[in-house]
Amino acid sequence: MSDELNAVTDEATEAEEPIKQRKNGLYPGVSDELAENMRSGWADTELRDLEPIPQAAETARRRAALSARFPGERLVIPAGNLKTRSNDTEYAFRAATEYAYLTGNQTEDSVLVLEPTADGHHATVYLLPRSDRENGEFWLSGQGELWVGRRHSLTESEALYGIPAADVRELAGKLREATGPVRVVRGHDAAIEAALTDKVTAERDEELRVFLSEARLVKDEFEVAELQKAVDSTVRGFEDVVKVLDKAEATSERYIEGTFFLRARVEGNDIGYGSICASGAHACTLHWVRNDGPVRSGDLLLLDAGVETHTLYTADVTRTLPVDGTYTDLQRKIYDAVYEAQEAGIAAVKPGAKFRDFHDASQRVLTEKLVEWGLVEGPVERVLELGLQRRWTLHGTGHMLGMDVHDCAVARTEAYVDGTLEPGMVLTVEPGLYFQADDLTVPEEYRGVGVRIEDDILVTAEGNRNLSAGLPRRSDEVEAWMASLKG
């Protein structure tokens, strides 16, 4: 990051004290002459004839559904603010899911407000306008356009998002003066919440958040297409990894992480979550994101990763690959058991089925294998009733997928995990078996072996469609696929 602003200030302080004394006060540490020079001589860069974003019709429909659910109430949905990483550097901004879902906009400090009217709501998106060149903000502020790049004008934003736009710097004052019932999505913008302190309640605000979570359970055509795009990029990212496994062996899991990240940044916005690049016994740690271990021939690599599209929809795919291209007999036995369990789970995904059905189907297959191998005492029904298989299966078999990798997470239990599958829902099916390196209840050869297979499944009117079918799953197909890429 440049230190030019500090240099300007230091120079004015040390070498131009007479000029500093006669400054007009508008630009501390800057001469009147430089300030005046920076005000003028800039071309008009206003963008005209902009087309609406592709999902503008969908976001309008989503706002209409929200309006119908909360008539007569002011609804406030913030995008969030920049978060400090360290000192004067910030993390890359990622707009709050609720805000991006309703607007398609992804800029920091923005807020969507739905004002109640006689026949519904009037929506306004409050944004930071272009940096002011008259007062020097564009070059003296650390968030000015000279430093971080141009942002859209309010007029441009109206054309892009199909929503009237206003200056967000005026919003807190308006909210403090507002009357009538108000709800806000909490946790994203402390200043906006402070302006509403005496007007909102946690219970009512949570109802708003829950509604927006459940609204995303069924995806529209635009969302399904974005998820497919995310999956397709993810497939290419997995291919990239296989092609460089020899380099990963010479370095570490970080090489795998970096290789996949390159695909995510070139074709999408980012990774949708921290990539799990778990080689050897690290595969038994469910969320291994340190990715600093060795990659060795003879071991398995559990790669759980997903590309996030520019519209913030993410894939979530896992494959467990033999680093040297061929499963050992024991690895194949465990892998094939997980594959069989996943097949049973995917078959249970269909409209009208309970959400838990695919988990139960997968768990039954894995339990049968554990009993068959003599790792737990049967019968199978007893093991399932007591949940004894969970020592090695560990986690649920899947979750909803969308703008968040664990989408719709605050939906009511009766609408989600106790709910019924409908066409348009997208979920993961991801059974696994994990034998910890220090697990003395299993034979030594099992210890340190972890296998998970995960695919992204769309519920259709006829049953389901595997969005990630472009990646081989069966053990022999995985080996052939890897050989073709390495050759």
Side-chain angles (χ1 to χ4, degrees):
M1 181 171 288
S2 172
D3 285 330
E4 288 182 33
L5 180 57
N6 291 334
V8 168
T9 304
D10 291 344
E11 183 180 350
T13 301
E14 298 172 5
E16 301 183 17
E17 188 64 20
I19 296 176
K20 181 179 178 183
Q21 294 301 320
R22 59 185 176 83
K23 71 182 188 304
N24 59 18
L26 194 59
Y27 303 91
V30 174
S31 70
D32 290 349
E33 288 78 1
L34 176 58
E36 182 61 34
N37 178 275
M38 293 297 287
R39 284 195 189 99
S40 60
W42 305 103
D44 177 13
T45 61
E46 183 76 7
L47 304 176
R48 296 170 177 84
D49 301 321
L50 289 173
E51 295 292 327
I53 59 173
Q55 69 269 42
E58 283 79 7
T59 56
R61 178 187 53 76
R62 297 166 192 167
R63 293 192 300 274
L66 177 61
S67 172
R69 171 61 179 83
F70 298 103
E73 303 185 48
R74 180 176 285 102
L75 308 174
V76 182
I77 302 96
N81 317 121
L82 292 171
K83 291 181 172 58
T84 300
R85 181 180 185 272
S86 178
N87 191 26
D88 59 350
T89 61
E90 292 87 19
Y91 287 104
F93 180 72
R94 202 278 194 185
T97 292
E98 297 90 349
Y99 173 84
Y101 177 74
L102 293 168
T103 66
N105 176 258
Q106 298 179 34
T107 55
E108 67 269 17
D109 300 328
S110 305
V111 185
L112 173 69
V113 178
L114 271 63
E115 300 278 354
T117 63
D119 56 355
H121 285 84
H122 174 76
T124 302
V125 60
Y126 288 85
L127 307 164
L128 286 171
R130 294 283 311 276
S131 292
D132 193 329
R133 294 180 186 253
E134 183 63 28
N135 69 11
E137 175 198 356
F138 88 101
W139 69 290
L140 290 174
S141 167
Q143 292 303 315
E145 292 182 6
L146 185 146
W147 292 91
V148 299
R150 184 187 189 278
R151 44 183 187 252
H152 287 297
S153 71
L154 298 182
T155 300
E156 291 169 353
S157 294
E158 290 183 355
L160 287 169
Y161 306 111
I163 314 171
D167 190 336
V168 71
R169 294 171 296 189
E170 303 169 359
L171 180 58
K174 291 182 178 180
L175 293 177
R176 278 190 287 269
E177 298 171 1
T179 59
V182 185
R183 298 179 193 253
V184 62
V185 176
R186 299 190 180 203
H188 301 302
D189 193 319
I192 293 299
E193 290 178 36
L196 295 168
T197 297
D198 301 325
K199 306 176 192 298
V200 296
T201 67
E203 181 180 6
R204 285 165 47 78
D205 291 347
E206 185 64 9
E207 288 175 351
L208 171 59
R209 195 164 76 108
V210 167
F211 173 82
L212 289 172
S213 189
E214 293 180 6
R216 302 198 307 277
L217 282 168
V218 176
K219 270 61 180 178
D220 56 39
E221 290 184 5
F222 176 86
E223 293 179 290
V224 171
E226 287 299 295
L227 284 167
Q228 186 65 71
K229 186 187 301 182
V231 167
D232 292 345
S233 288
T234 299
V235 168
R236 289 188 283 274
F238 274 64
E239 293 172 347
D240 296 338
V241 167
V242 171
K243 292 175 181 178
V244 300
L245 279 177
D246 58 333
K247 294 183 175 64
E249 285 190 66
T251 52
S252 76
E253 295 163 338
R254 292 282 169 93
Y255 203 96
I256 295 167
E257 178 183 5
T259 298
F260 187 84
F261 181 70
L262 177 61
R263 178 67 64 173
R265 286 292 281 166
V266 168
E267 294 193 1
N269 176 61
D270 208 328
I271 50 174
Y273 54 95
S275 298
I276 299 168
C277 308
S279 183
H282 289 161
C284 299
T285 301
L286 295 183
H287 288 168
W288 178 260
V289 293
R290 299 180 200 171
N291 299 333
D292 59 0
V295 178
R296 300 188 179 100
S297 290
D299 283 346
L300 295 176
L301 167 68
L302 190 157
L303 178 58
D304 183 336
V307 172
E308 178 185 75
T309 66
H310 293 291
T311 57
L312 307 185
Y313 288 85
T314 185
D316 181 8
V317 178
T318 305
R319 291 293 184 268
T320 306
L321 311 171
V323 173
D324 59 12
T326 304
Y327 296 100
T328 67
D329 290 344
L330 179 65
Q331 290 169 352
R332 189 184 306 276
K333 182 175 83 166
I334 296 170
Y335 184 95
D336 288 349
V338 175
Y339 171 79
E340 187 177 330
Q342 193 199 28
E343 283 283 275
I346 292 174
V349 174
K350 54 191 173 184
K354 293 295 185 183
F355 176 82
R356 295 182 189 268
D357 286 353
F358 74 94
H359 170 73
D360 294 340
S362 293
Q363 288 288 296
R364 177 170 290 277
V365 172
L366 294 177
T367 302
E368 290 170 351
K369 297 297 183 182
L370 292 167
V371 171
E372 176 188 327
W373 299 340
L375 302 183
V376 63
E377 182 181 351
V380 169
E381 294 300 334
R382 166 185 169 273
V383 177
L384 287 169
E385 181 180 355
L386 298 176
L388 300 179
Q389 82 284 358
R390 292 180 61 185
R391 181 182 179 100
W392 304 285
T393 64
L394 296 182
H395 55 77
T397 308
H399 51 81
M400 292 295 178
L401 185 67
M403 295 184 81
D404 289 324
V405 65
H406 297 140
D407 209 27
C408 315
V410 299
R412 294 166 299 160
T413 299
E414 58 267 31
Y416 187 168
V417 295
D418 285 343
T420 300
L421 297 180
E422 302 176 37
M425 290 181 171
V426 180
L427 57 143
T428 67
V429 178
E430 49 175 312
L433 282 174
Y434 311 90
F435 301 100
Q436 305 301 322
D438 58 353
D439 187 350
L440 300 181
T441 70
V442 300
E444 186 174 358
E445 61 266 27
Y446 285 78
R447 298 173 198 166
V449 177
V451 173
R452 179 164 67 251
I453 311 171
E454 178 181 18
D455 285 87
D456 302 341
I457 310 298
L458 168 68
V459 183
T460 66
E462 297 76 26
N464 68 65
R465 175 160 60 91
N466 186 349
L467 300 179
S468 44
L471 273 180
R473 290 187 297 126
R474 216 174 60 203
S475 58
D476 60 334
E477 293 176 341
V478 170
E479 290 174 332
W481 169 70
M482 292 183 69
S484 71
L485 292 171
K486 288 184 174 183

